[in-house]
Amino acid sequence: MSGELVDACDWFFSQIFNEDCSTINPRLMYSGDPVTQNGWVNNDGYDQRQLSSTGPFELVKDKPIEIITAYVVGRGTDHLNSITEARINTRNAIKFYKTNFEYTPVVGVEEDTKSQIPERFILHQNYPNPFNSSTTICYLISFNEIERSKKYV
């Protein structure tokens, strides 16, 4: 693509949900909501981080306009939850700007309460005896009620 508009009704890399494709504004590419499955949604698995939709802007010749952009991302539990997380981050960024940078979003890191120290372990007797050409050793390690067992031959 080199700047020309695409036909939302016939664009290979997208799908339209719950709307008539002829009503989609081709200037606002992928303007739908993939979380709720409404509107014009990208269905292509390729990395398209260069894609952005902005506007609409009321531009007047020889009259300056201030346009502020922010690159906002979110990392969730899956691809759709990542969109939800990005929306939360976007709302925080807008509020941060609108309060003249006085609003401080709540951020933090959740503590991992799972211990890396085993709660218990069991080492079973090897068989046959270790003087053979091979022996089998079984063991069990328990971390916070998650048991991992291995068998080495």
Side-chain angles (χ1 to χ4, degrees), residues 62-82:
D62 296 327
K63 184 176 178 186
I65 184 172
E66 183 177 88
I67 300 172
I68 299 174
T69 62
Y71 186 72
V72 180
V73 297
R75 184 172 185 181
T77 55
D78 60 32
H79 64 289
L80 293 179
N81 183 249
S82 293

Side-chain angles (χ1 to χ4, degrees), residues 19-107:
E19 282 190 43
D20 178 2
C21 68
S22 64
T23 65
I24 301 290
N25 183 347
R27 295 184 186 280
L28 300 175
M29 196 168 202
Y30 306 139
S31 55
D33 186 340
V35 175
T36 61
Q37 294 288 287
N38 285 301
W40 190 9
V41 177
N42 178 351
N43 68 355
D44 188 26
Y46 293 106
D47 185 354
Q48 296 185 18
R49 282 183 271 181
Q50 79 285 356
L51 176 70
S52 63
S53 293
T54 60
F57 301 110
E58 296 289 330
L59 301 177
V60 178
K61 185 177 179 180
D62 296 327
K63 184 176 178 186
I65 184 172
E66 183 177 88
I67 300 172
I68 299 174
T69 62
Y71 186 72
V72 180
V73 297
R75 184 172 185 181
T77 55
D78 60 32
H79 64 289
L80 293 179
N81 183 249
S82 293
I83 294 169
T84 301
E85 291 297 321
R87 288 177 177 163
I88 292 168
N89 294 341
T90 299
R91 284 193 294 273
N92 281 329
I94 291 168
K95 193 170 183 179
F96 186 60
Y97 172 74
K98 286 186 173 182
T99 62
N100 198 24
F101 308 99
E102 290 181 7
Y103 166 74
T104 305
V106 177
V107 295

Side-chain angles (χ1 to χ4, degrees), residues 108-117 143-144 146 148:
V109 177
E110 292 181 19
E111 183 180 342
D112 186 2
T113 59
K114 295 177 184 172
S115 172
Q116 297 301 312
I117 300 172
F143 294 91
N144 285 346
I146 298 173
R148 298 180 183 126

